[in-house]
Amino acid sequence: MGVIEPSNSPYSSPVVLVPKPDGTKRFCVDYRKLNKVTTYEAEPMQTMTEIFSELSNDKYFSRIDLTKGYWQVEMTQSAKEKTAFVTPDGLWQFKTMPFGLVGAPAVFTRLMRTILRDVPNVVNYLDDILIHTETWDEHVECLELLFQTLREIAD
């Protein structure tokens, strides 16, 4: 998928295979030691109560899951080496922002807030986008603007 590359980093975190509900394994990197020495990213994130209060008058909803959304965020070279992890095949590091970093939710939330600031009736929570409107016509307009906005940043 192009999200990792071989590494010569002085850092190394262990890999953990976590069972998923369907019986398969999820590849995770245990960044607990790195997270202990990472500067916390201050970024406000809405609570569920705040989000639900925004939706109280709406009748139409669409949810978009930005699957592996963090992997769309490129990392600086100095940050990449800190994400190194050890495998039987050697040391690897992420080229894009991995899950598990203490600052990842804040960085991604800030990025999404910036990208979606001109799209009305949109709530972003981590890697999910919720479009909410009172009327169907308004809903279609918001979806069209959202898709146009996402298409523009992808180019």
Side-chain angles (χ1 to χ4, degrees), residues 61-67 112 122-131 142-143 146-147 150:
F61 303 91
S62 294
R63 183 180 69 90
I64 297 171
D65 182 356
L66 301 173
T67 304
M112 293 307 297
V122 169
V123 173
N124 172 246
Y125 187 76
L126 298 176
D127 62 350
D128 289 325
I129 299 173
L130 178 68
I131 299 88
C142 288
L143 283 170
L146 172 65
F147 291 139
L150 293 174

Side-chain angles (χ1 to χ4, degrees), residues 5 13 34 39 42 44 52 62 66 70 81 87-88 103 113 129 132 149:
E5 62 189 7
S13 294
L34 177 61
T39 303
F52 288 136
S62 294
L66 301 173
Y70 291 12
E81 71 176 15
T87 74
R113 184 172 40 81
I129 299 173
H132 57 97
T149 301

Side-chain angles (χ1 to χ4, degrees), residues 35-53:
N35 286 338
K36 284 182 183 179
V37 296
T38 300
T39 303
Y40 178 75
E41 290 275 343
E43 177 65 26
M45 290 200 267
Q46 288 184 299
T47 65
M48 286 296 140
T49 303
E50 292 168 331
I51 291 171
F52 288 136
S53 69

Side-chain angles (χ1 to χ4, degrees), residues 30-127:
D30 183 356
Y31 287 123
R32 286 181 290 185
K33 287 185 178 181
L34 177 61
N35 286 338
K36 284 182 183 179
V37 296
T38 300
T39 303
Y40 178 75
E41 290 275 343
E43 177 65 26
M45 290 200 267
Q46 288 184 299
T47 65
M48 286 296 140
T49 303
E50 292 168 331
I51 291 171
F52 288 136
S53 69
E54 275 187 56
L55 312 176
S56 61
N57 295 323
D58 295 322
K59 296 180 178 113
Y60 299 94
F61 303 91
S62 294
R63 183 180 69 90
I64 297 171
D65 182 356
L66 301 173
T67 304
K68 297 176 180 64
Y70 291 12
W71 287 358
Q72 308 307 309
V73 181
E74 293 183 24
M75 306 257 297
T76 64
Q77 193 60 40
S78 64
K80 287 179 187 181
E81 71 176 15
K82 292 176 179 78
T83 68
F85 56 93
V86 66
T87 74
D89 294 325
L91 197 61
W92 296 81
Q93 66 189 22
F94 278 88
K95 294 166 42 176
T96 59
M97 189 170 62
F99 296 90
L101 296 179
V102 70
V107 168
F108 194 75
T109 297
R110 182 180 305 121
L111 176 65
M112 293 307 297
R113 184 172 40 81
T114 302
I115 290 167
L116 300 174
R117 74 174 157 242
D118 295 328
V119 181
N121 299 74
V122 169
V123 173
N124 172 246
Y125 187 76
L126 298 176
D127 62 350

